[in-house]
Amino acid sequence: MSSDFVGIHSYQRNDYLDAIEAALKKGMAAKEVVCSITTGFRRIPSIRVAPGLNPYHATVADIGYGFDAVQGTIQRIRQGDLIPLEKEMLVFDLDTLRISEKQLSPNFELAVQGADPSVFYLVEQSRYLNRQIAKMIKRANKLGQSFLGPEWEAIRAKNEKIQAIPRL
């Protein structure tokens, strides 16, 4: 079995993978702070019982798993592991991360609706960090699209059917 990246120079592949990883590291740093704040929201009476808090917390965790999945796929590609469909895995991981990010803002806004004014600073910090996470995920996806060119969309279209299966 050979690599899916035949015809792509290793330096070009590594440049794109480096750039994707750099974007994800910035997003992960923001996610870590958001996760801490989100956990702290459970101690704030005006947010503790908000209907969006659990979905928001789950979305933040989901994004963390997504970052790990992309990094794992990149690491396997770099190590030269002979994994079938490595391009498909990279697209699947990045696009799934994009889908998770789409859930972040609505769940956050629901979680902080009716928050006590004394915690507005934390709410605004979280909102800012959520935007940073989204920005880095979008950047990583754009880099993946640039890297794979028209192949990206063809692979993503095939993955769409799998991503439609609800997670348990």
Side-chain angles (χ1 to χ4, degrees):
M1 187 177 308
S2 64
S3 172
D4 281 348
F5 293 101
V6 173
I8 298 174
H9 292 287
S10 62
Y11 67 84
Q12 182 186 19
R13 181 196 71 193
N14 287 333
D15 285 349
Y16 273 104
L17 295 178
D18 287 346
I20 291 169
E21 277 189 311
L24 293 178
K25 283 180 183 176
K26 289 178 184 175
M28 284 178 16
K31 181 241 148 225
E32 290 300 321
V33 177
V34 164
C35 193
S36 295
I37 294 172
T38 302
T39 300
F41 279 170
R42 295 188 184 285
R43 299 189 54 92
I44 300 169
S46 61
I47 298 177
R48 181 181 318 147
V49 295
L53 185 56
N54 286 336
Y56 174 59
H57 190 74
T59 302
V60 172
D62 200 34
I63 285 172
Y65 296 133
F67 283 143
D68 291 344
V70 176
Q71 284 189 313
T73 297
I74 289 173
Q75 183 178 8
R76 291 178 72 191
I77 291 168
R78 285 183 190 281
Q79 290 173 344
D81 289 359
L82 297 179
I83 50 178
L85 307 172
E86 57 190 5
K87 286 180 182 177
E88 286 79 357
M89 285 179 62
L90 183 62
V91 172
F92 180 81
D93 290 342
L94 283 169
D95 196 53
T96 300
L97 189 54
R98 179 193 61 82
I99 292 168
S100 295
E101 180 274 321
K102 294 283 184 209
Q103 300 168 359
L104 191 63
S105 183
N107 288 334
F108 173 78
E109 294 304 328
L110 189 58
V112 299
Q113 187 176 12
D116 187 82
S118 65
V119 296
F120 281 173
Y121 175 76
L122 284 176
V123 169
E124 285 308 310
Q125 282 300 310
S126 294
R127 196 172 275 129
Y128 169 76
L129 291 165
N130 287 336
R131 286 191 300 268
Q132 293 306 305
I133 293 168
K135 181 179 172 182
M136 292 303 117
I137 290 171
K138 287 174 185 166
R139 175 155 174 69
N141 269 268
K142 284 184 190 287
L143 287 162
Q145 291 169 10
S146 294
F147 178 36
L148 297 175
E151 218 175 344
W152 171 276
E153 194 52 41
I155 293 169
R156 197 199 62 73
K158 284 191 276 185
N159 285 345
E160 213 168 33
K161 294 175 184 83
I162 298 166
Q163 289 169 321
I165 299 169
R167 295 180 213 153
L168 298 176

